[in-house]
Amino acid sequence: NAGVMQNPRHLVRRRGQEARLRCSPMKGHSHVYWYRQLPEEGLKFMVYLQKENIIDESGMPKERFSAEFPKEGPSILRIQQVVRGDSAAYFCASSPISTRPWGYGYTFGSGTRLTVV
Amino acid sequence: AQTVTQSQPEMSVQEAETVTLSCTYDTSESDYYLFWYKQPPSRQMILVIRQEAYKQQNATENRFSVNFQKAAKSFSLKISDSQLGDAAMYFCAYRSVLGAGGTSYGKLTFGQGTILTVHP
């Protein structure tokens, strides 16, 4: 079981370019979450997706950010026209479909560190 | 909205000693989960321990244990027999069981983190 795979591990973009971050959930997991960690801060929730559905995007900035989790393939977090303030570590996590046992937490990937120059 | 506060930006401990990391939270819910995550320099988020709010018994995982005080909304982590490998950033996190319109399932709210240094 490969765990949650995120790529790339490091990504450098110039201001104004687009950044695409990929996340492949654990096998059997159909829920994906994206979090952002600014330097010296905790993780902040961005978006929660199930296959082909955005369930909760209350933490997503209104502009330039989008996320998808298609029927086939990884989940993608897309940042258009990046600015220096987007520099952060972006984490993906996944969990299985479930009813009660939210208490198992979920499995995080190793994150993608985005640097905007 | 729930908030999680870790009031200790940094803590240090001698190897083999015991250290306690503090966490308080604010919620109007009666049923929820609490977690401690460890983030070493590798950046990987590692689940250390979890607590279900409806269980009064404090969770324990080997050298890690919690002191869960539901009325005080306090959830501290105790690390016994500290090891050099315990050095990391530690995050306290809250997770709702039920959310408005069912859309809050799974969302974690994190504290600001505590950097733990272990001295040999």
Side-chain angles (χ1 to χ4, degrees):
Chain A
N1 198 344
V4 179
M5 303 301 293
Q6 286 189 251
N7 65 82
R9 184 112 167 102
H10 302 278
L11 181 62
V12 179
R13 284 288 177 264
R14 295 186 182 279
R15 281 178 293 171
Q17 289 185 321
E18 178 180 286
R20 281 186 176 236
L21 288 63
R22 293 175 183 77
C23 169
S24 296
M26 283 187 71
K27 186 176 180 180
H29 286 193
S30 57
H31 299 227
V32 166
Y33 314 82
W34 285 93
Y35 287 80
R36 177 165 65 174
Q37 184 179 26
L38 294 170
E40 311 301 326
E41 293 188 13
L43 279 70
K44 296 284 195 298
F45 169 78
M46 298 182 76
V47 62
Y48 163 37
L49 310 105
Q50 294 177 16
K51 288 278 188 182
E52 300 184 281
N53 276 308
I54 297 175
I55 306 301
D56 181 355
E57 55 182 346
S58 59
M60 287 278 271
K62 294 285 187 279
E63 297 177 351
R64 302 186 297 107
F65 285 73
S66 62
E68 62 177 12
F69 188 18
K71 187 176 180 182
E72 302 290 336
S75 175
I76 306 287
L77 179 67
R78 182 183 178 202
I79 311 172
Q80 296 178 290
Q81 299 174 341
V82 296
V83 300
R84 288 227 171 103
D86 297 332
S87 295
Y90 291 83
F91 288 89
C92 169
S94 72
S95 70
I97 188 166
S98 60
T99 50
R100 173 69 186 183
W102 302 106
Y104 288 99
Y106 31 66
T107 304
F108 280 89
S110 297
T112 294
R113 181 173 296 283
L114 172 65
T115 302
V116 180
V117 297
Chain B
Q2 295 79 25
T3 59
V4 177
T5 302
Q6 294 177 247
S7 59
Q8 306 157 316
E10 298 182 29
M11 291 285 284
S12 63
V13 63
Q14 290 294 133
E15 200 174 2
E17 299 287 305
T18 295
V19 65
T20 298
L21 308 184
S22 301
C23 173
T24 58
Y25 58 95
D26 188 25
T27 185
S28 58
E29 299 173 339
S30 59
D31 198 8
Y32 47 86
Y33 291 99
L34 294 165
F35 304 88
W36 278 97
Y37 279 90
K38 169 186 178 181
Q39 187 180 44
S42 67
R43 216 168 57 215
Q44 180 71 49
M45 293 290 288
I46 301 165
L47 178 63
V48 174
I49 198 166
R50 63 185 174 95
Q51 175 77 42
E52 298 165 88
Y54 65 90
K55 289 187 177 178
Q56 292 186 334
Q57 186 174 6
N58 289 324
T60 299
E61 290 286 342
N62 301 312
R63 298 183 294 107
F64 298 87
S65 61
V66 299
N67 183 4
F68 174 48
Q69 302 289 326
K70 191 173 184 179
K73 295 178 183 174
S74 170
F75 182 61
S76 60
L77 174 70
K78 185 170 85 170
I79 306 174
S80 303
D81 186 25
S82 298
Q83 300 175 359
L84 294 177
D86 295 333
M89 175 81 90
Y90 285 81
F91 291 101
C92 177
Y94 174 104
R95 183 175 187 175
S96 298
V97 173
L98 293 174
T103 59
S104 292
Y105 282 114
K107 180 167 66 177
L108 284 171
T109 300
F110 285 88
Q112 306 92 315
T114 297
I115 298 172
L116 177 66
T117 303
V118 181
H119 298 290

